[in-house]
């Protein structure tokens, strides 16, 4: 039976390092890390871990920082991860501010606070020589956000292919455990026509019109209705044309569909392709580029998946007093779940405003989150039984 109490040594570690944790979150906030440009954060994390005594820490080709706590020769690894990228494109440092018990900064929660907590846990693992019968890896991965396309997690699953027993991703807050993967397919669609002068060439085909026809067809699609599944679609951006008196030669859009069900994803792909072909049949050029793809739920062992999710819920409730709900989402867990590997996602704070420049976290909530994340890792370690409190 898994444990939820922290032992005296682990409890003392959390109690004695809360101020350092907050300072570490502030330091990370000041390091820009858009998707695909996480180099500075990766280097900072690697240096910090090495100075903390972590052995064998390395940065891979995907810009993941990997700490093989106890990995050699193990074939049922527990991988704990937090993503280093933020959704913001800024390459100039942000400056966090603290006010009324809250820390404000773009990306402070998603996913900076989680990265900082996992760094502190990695140091605890290094300084206490944690070992695991099934194997233990801590990773700080790249490219979780937006068009990062889960590149970092994909690389991790490829690196440890066939050796992963479960994955826990620390992301967002602890009010919800993400237990189901929402997949997505994202496209850039461009329409081209002959265009021309709005007066002299009146009657020529207008790319904006044909793009509009395509959008209208896409919004006429009825998403599959399947018990227990949810499917959506969206046109998120359109642009094109030259001027008010020019018949547009070019127009484009960004389009996506999402679902937590593989069959529904396939049905949406078929409907999208049919709409594109219908517009092409009108004699205009339609170019389609897939710019992002995230797999949805596979078929992990139901008992193992349920046990992992319940473990997350129980631990969070024990340390925070809050019983988190269950949800579906698009996270790094999409990759292991699509490969039938049990996985779950939760975060270490309470706050609001993720993906906005007004994002904030409640500093007092970090203690419960820190304890919950540390307990999850310690549950995989050998010799920790003696460290557990019996209260």
């Amino acid at each position: 039976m898994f444990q939820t109490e922290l032992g005296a040594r682990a409890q003392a570690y959390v109690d004695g390092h809360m101020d350092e944790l907050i300072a570490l979150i502030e330091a990370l906030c000041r390091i820009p890390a858009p998707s695909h440009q996480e180099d500075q954060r990766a280097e900072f994390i690697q240096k910090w871990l090495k100075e903390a005594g972590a052995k064998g820490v390395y940065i891979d080709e995907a810009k993941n920082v990997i700490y093989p706590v106890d990995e050699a020769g193990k074939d049922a690894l527990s991988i704990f991860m937090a993503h280093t990228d933020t959704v913001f494109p800024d390459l100039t440092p942000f400056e966090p501010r603290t006010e009324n018990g809250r820390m404000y900064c773009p990306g402070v929660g998603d996913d900076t606070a989680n990265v900082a907590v996992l760094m502190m846990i990695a140091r605890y693992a290094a300084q206490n020589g944690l070992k695991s019968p099934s194997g233990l890896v801590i990773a700080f991965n790249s490219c979780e956000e937006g068009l990062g396309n889960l590149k970092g997690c994909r690389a991790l699953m490829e690196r440890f292919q066939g050796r992963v027993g479960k994955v826990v991703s620390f992301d967002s807050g602890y009010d919800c455990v993400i237990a189901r993967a929402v997949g997505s397919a994202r496209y850039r669609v461009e329409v081209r026509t002959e265009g021309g002068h709005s007066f002299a060439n009146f009657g020529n085909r207008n790319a904006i019109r044909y793009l509009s026809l395509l959008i209208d067809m896409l919004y006429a699609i009825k998403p599959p209705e399947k018990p227990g599944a949810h499917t959506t679609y969206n046109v998120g951006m359109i642009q094109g044309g030259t001027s008010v008196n020019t018949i547009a030669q070019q127009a484009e859009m960004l389009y996506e569909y999402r679902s937590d069900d593989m069959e529904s994803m396939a049905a949406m792909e078929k409907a999208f392709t049919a709409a594109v072909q219908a517009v092409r049949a009108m004699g205009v050029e339609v170019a389609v580029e897939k710019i992002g793809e995230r797999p949805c739920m596979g078929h992990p062992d139901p008992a193992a998946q349920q046990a992992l999710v319940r473990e997350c819920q129980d631990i969070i409730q024990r340390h925070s007093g809050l019983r988190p709900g269950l949800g579906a989402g698009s996270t790094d867990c999409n990759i292991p779940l699509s490969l039938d590997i049990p996985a779950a996602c939760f975060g270490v704070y309470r706050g609001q405003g993720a993906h906005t420049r007004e994002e904030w976290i409640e500093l007092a909530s970090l203690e419960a989150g820190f304890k919950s994340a540390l307990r999850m890792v310690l549950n995989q370690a050998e010799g920790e039984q003696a460290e557990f409190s019996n209260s």
Side-chain angles (χ1 to χ4, degrees):
M1 182 70 175
F2 67 83
Q3 305 294 320
T4 56
E5 293 285 357
L6 287 179
R9 182 170 57 191
Q11 183 69 54
Y13 181 75
V14 173
D15 292 342
H17 292 88
M18 289 306 301
D19 289 343
E20 184 180 1
L21 171 61
I22 292 171
L24 183 56
I25 294 172
E26 292 176 336
L28 288 166
C29 280
R30 296 186 181 102
I31 304 173
S35 300
H36 302 288
Q37 301 181 73
E38 303 93 340
D39 306 75
Q40 290 183 59
R41 277 200 183 184
E43 291 166 3
F44 176 90
I45 293 168
Q46 182 187 42
K47 181 175 183 293
W48 191 94
L49 291 176
K50 286 184 175 181
E51 290 176 351
K55 304 296 184 183
V57 181
Y58 61 97
I59 299 175
D60 71 6
E61 66 284 351
K63 303 181 184 178
N64 296 318
V65 185
I66 301 172
Y67 174 28
V69 181
D70 184 20
E71 174 261 326
K74 304 296 177 70
D75 59 3
L77 300 173
S78 294
I79 297 182
F80 295 90
M81 59 197 300
H83 67 86
T84 56
D85 59 324
T86 69
V87 73
F88 303 96
D90 307 59
L91 292 175
T92 54
F94 291 120
E95 185 56 41
R97 65 181 175 86
T98 299
E99 183 178 312
N100 297 324
R102 297 175 176 178
M103 186 184 295
Y104 294 82
C105 190
V108 63
D110 186 10
D111 201 32
T112 306
N114 290 293
V115 169
V117 165
L118 190 55
M119 289 171 67
M120 300 291 286
I121 292 171
R123 182 172 69 182
Y124 182 91
Q127 293 179 348
N128 289 279
L130 290 192
K131 299 293 182 182
S132 170
S134 59
L136 179 60
V137 172
I138 291 176
F140 304 86
N141 63 285
S142 66
C143 289
E144 189 275 344
E145 298 288 5
L147 295 180
N149 205 32
L150 307 183
K151 176 182 176 181
C153 188
R154 291 177 194 271
L156 286 170
M157 294 302 102
E158 290 175 5
R159 177 176 295 277
F160 300 112
Q161 184 175 6
R163 301 175 57 207
V164 182
K166 67 175 128 178
V167 174
V168 175
S169 172
F170 297 119
D171 196 351
S172 298
Y174 57 65
D175 58 339
C176 182
V177 175
I178 301 300
R180 190 168 178 84
V182 176
S184 63
R186 294 165 173 171
Y187 299 90
R188 178 179 290 109
V189 182
E190 182 184 40
V191 174
R192 286 190 171 273
T193 62
E194 65 273 20
H197 190 280
S198 63
F199 187 81
N201 302 114
F202 183 71
N204 281 6
R205 293 172 298 184
N206 188 315
I208 293 174
R209 181 202 174 202
Y210 286 91
L211 181 65
S212 300
L213 289 172
L214 176 57
I215 292 172
D216 192 51
M217 291 179 188
L218 293 174
Y219 271 79
I221 295 171
K222 185 177 181 180
E225 294 182 0
K226 187 175 180 180
H230 186 52
T231 305
T232 66
Y233 56 81
N234 183 60
V235 174
M237 181 182 293
I238 58 173
Q239 61 185 17
T242 302
S243 69
V244 71
N245 59 334
T246 301
I247 301 169
Q249 290 183 288
Q250 184 270 352
E252 64 182 63
M253 69 172 180
L254 298 182
Y255 172 75
E256 73 160 16
Y257 50 85
R258 295 183 177 219
S259 183
D260 53 5
D261 176 71
M262 286 186 175
E263 292 180 358
S264 298
M265 286 289 289
M268 289 301 297
E269 180 181 15
K270 183 177 179 180
F272 169 67
T273 301
V276 168
Q277 291 174 341
V279 175
R280 284 173 175 159
M282 298 175 187
V284 298
E285 179 184 345
V286 183
V288 176
E289 176 190 5
K290 182 175 280 188
I291 57 175
E293 184 173 22
R294 298 183 176 211
C296 61
M297 198 74 182
H299 301 90
D301 177 76
Q305 178 67 13
Q306 185 178 29
L308 176 59
V309 170
R310 188 183 299 115
E311 180 181 2
C312 294
Q313 289 182 296
D314 289 346
I315 286 174
I316 293 169
Q317 183 175 14
R318 180 70 181 186
H319 293 297
S320 73
L322 169 73
R323 183 71 177 180
L326 299 180
S330 181
T331 72
D332 280 312
C333 289
N334 283 40
I335 303 302
L337 286 173
S338 73
L339 298 172
D340 301 337
I341 298 169
C345 174
F346 72 87
V348 300
Y349 66 90
R350 299 187 72 177
Q352 292 184 7
H355 289 206
T356 75
R357 294 180 183 271
E358 294 74 42
E359 184 175 4
W360 57 269
I361 62 172
E362 182 183 293
L363 293 177
S365 70
L366 288 169
E367 182 178 353
F370 191 174
K371 290 178 180 178
S372 298
L374 179 56
R375 177 71 274 151
M376 286 296 299
V377 175
L378 292 182
N379 278 357
Q380 311 308 316
E382 293 177 328
E384 284 296 311
Q385 186 67 34
E387 275 294 298
F388 298 143
S389 164
N390 291 321
S391 62

